[in-house]
Each structure stands twice: as C-alpha cells, then as structure tokens.
Amino acid sequence: AQKITQTQPGMFVQEKEAVTLDCTYDTSDQSYGLFWYKQPSSGEMIFLIYQGSYDEQNATEGRYSLNFQKARKSANLVISASQLGDSAMYFCAMREAGYSTLTFGKGTMLLVSP
Amino acid sequence: EAQVTQNPRYLITVTGKKLTVTCSQNMNHEYMSWYRQDPGLGLRQIYYSMNVEVTDKGDVPEGYKVSRKEKRNFPLILESPSPNQTSLYFCASSHTLAPSSYEQYFGPGTRLTVT
C-alpha cells in the first residue's frame, strides 16, 4: 500500500484564489512528520511547510497552511491568495520516527492562471 | 551558506559508460540520500547513508552503487548505465534520527540522459 497518496494529478486555480492540495498518508507509528515540497519548472525541491504528528495546531508559513486531520490521516496543503509563481509541482512527504528517509507522494501539478 | 551541491547538473552519456555523480554537503549532516524522480512516480529513494561507511539500499537500488568515505560526500556511481536510468537525480542530507522536524536539504538535481 502506498504510504503517501496524492489523488490530484493536476489542479487549476485563478490568481488570488485559495487552493487545497490533498494528501493522505498511511502509518502505524505514533510519531512522524509530514512535509510539503514545491518543485518549479527549474527542477529544485523547495521545502514549504512541516507538521509533526504531536503538533496540536496546524502549521502555517506565510500563505501556506497545512490542514492536519490526524484521525483521517490527511495533511492537505492550503495556499491562500494564489500567485502566478505558485505554478509548480507539489509533493507531500512523510518521515516516520527513527527513520531519516522521506517517502514521497507522486505529486500534484498546480497551474495558476491570470 | 548551507547547501548541498551536485555535479554535474546535466549529463548525456551512452549505454555502458561508467559515470559518477558527486554530492557534497557543508552542514555536517550524518544522513545523506539519493533519489530519482520520474514522471508520474514522484521521488524514489535509491540509497541512503546514516553516517560514514554506513550505507543501505532504498527502494530502487538496482544498477547503482554508492560510497561514504567522508561525512560531507556521497557519490552515486552507475557502473554500466542503461536507458532506463535516464532520470532526474537528487541528493539530500539531514541530521540522523533527529526530531522529525529536521527537514531534508536537497541538492539542485542532476538530469541524466542515457542513450
């Protein structure tokens, strides 16, 4: 079974609108971390936001927030006020306790139109 | 500046010609890893290293070798490249077994084409 599932291969949003990128995960560990990375067309991997499994509040970083629903095992990324520069591939990833390995989803391509 | 560097950034080679992609980090990280990225598959781990002289296979190790003789360097070796190894390769590093909040730092990527 996949550990990280991103069900949206592509998403379209208009500039200045909010968008939610879905991510569900599978783990039996109690301690884990969830990450979102952005990959623009230039190819580099840019860290966006982190959520720990014991964090009680949803993580936020500027226009990015992580909607963490532990019981549903979901960690959706919310981008508020989309900008043209947000057009990129977005990856959700998980790191389980005691392991340094990141397991990635297959990604969601986000296109922001004017 | 804290960073992970990879060389070369782009490489076109022929089947069977041995090549090495270098990776170096300046953050004194214990953990280093190689991923390959293919369309529709996301990033998949090839090999990782928990510290000097300690390496282990990831999800897709066939056709690759690694070594970790120094803490800062973690080269990826393709002894006999084949076209199915055409991919975008990333090196990453982080502290080992640290609190989960420690992010992995990624190199800029190496785009390899094997003809």
Side-chain angles (χ1 to χ4, degrees):
Chain A
Q2 288 186 48
K3 285 197 170 183
I4 297 287
T5 302
Q6 295 180 253
T7 57
Q8 306 154 314
M11 289 284 286
F12 295 89
V13 66
Q14 280 202 312
E15 208 175 0
K16 299 180 186 176
E17 291 184 349
V19 62
T20 297
L21 305 183
D22 293 342
C23 173
T24 58
Y25 60 93
D26 182 27
T27 181
S28 55
D29 283 354
Q30 296 301 309
S31 178
Y32 51 88
L34 296 156
F35 302 77
W36 277 92
Y37 285 84
K38 171 184 178 181
Q39 186 179 42
S41 57
S42 52
E44 73 266 30
M45 295 291 286
I46 301 168
F47 167 73
L48 293 178
I49 196 167
Y50 162 81
Q51 178 84 42
S53 58
Y54 293 118
D55 295 342
E56 294 186 352
Q57 293 198 331
N58 288 341
T60 60
E61 289 287 348
R63 295 185 298 109
Y64 303 108
S65 60
L66 200 152
N67 184 1
F68 181 47
Q69 297 187 41
K70 196 169 181 176
R72 296 181 60 189
K73 292 188 175 177
S74 75
N76 299 338
L77 177 70
V78 180
I79 305 175
S80 63
S82 299
Q83 300 173 356
L84 296 178
D86 292 335
S87 292
M89 182 72 87
Y90 288 80
F91 291 98
C92 179
M94 177 175 64
R95 184 175 177 178
E96 294 167 295
Y99 295 93
S100 294
T101 296
L102 274 177
T103 301
F104 285 83
K106 295 183 179 181
T108 296
M109 174 64 77
L110 175 67
L111 291 177
V112 181
S113 60
Chain B
E1 180 191 354
Q3 61 181 350
V4 179
T5 57
Q6 291 179 231
N7 282 292
R9 295 287 314 278
Y10 303 91
L11 178 61
I12 301 174
T13 188
V14 296
T15 299
K17 185 176 181 183
K18 180 180 178 179
L19 66 92
T20 299
V21 184
T22 64
C23 173
S24 182
Q25 51 94 3
N26 62 0
M27 295 167 279
N28 203 35
H29 285 162
E30 300 87 3
Y31 178 87
M32 297 185 75
S33 178
W34 277 102
Y35 296 88
R36 62 176 287 174
Q37 183 183 6
D38 303 291
L41 296 178
L43 278 79
R44 295 178 293 166
Q45 191 179 51
I46 303 169
Y47 268 95
Y48 64 95
S49 169
M50 302 289 273
N51 215 323
V52 176
E53 301 292 0
V54 181
T55 63
D56 210 343
K57 296 177 182 179
D59 297 322
V60 288
E62 293 78 20
Y64 304 95
K65 286 175 59 177
V66 293
S67 68
R68 188 89 181 274
K69 294 185 171 60
E70 304 166 283
K71 198 171 187 179
R72 63 182 293 127
N73 296 324
F74 190 45
L76 179 69
I77 303 155
L78 285 72
E79 294 269 4
S80 182
S82 62
N84 65 11
Q85 293 178 298
T86 292
S87 189
L88 178 59
Y89 291 86
F90 287 101
C91 180
S93 74
S94 71
H95 289 293
T96 306
L97 299 182
S100 296
S101 61
Y102 280 14
E103 64 176 281
Q104 287 203 1
Y105 291 79
F106 282 83
T110 295
R111 195 168 291 278
L112 172 66
T113 302
V114 184
T115 61

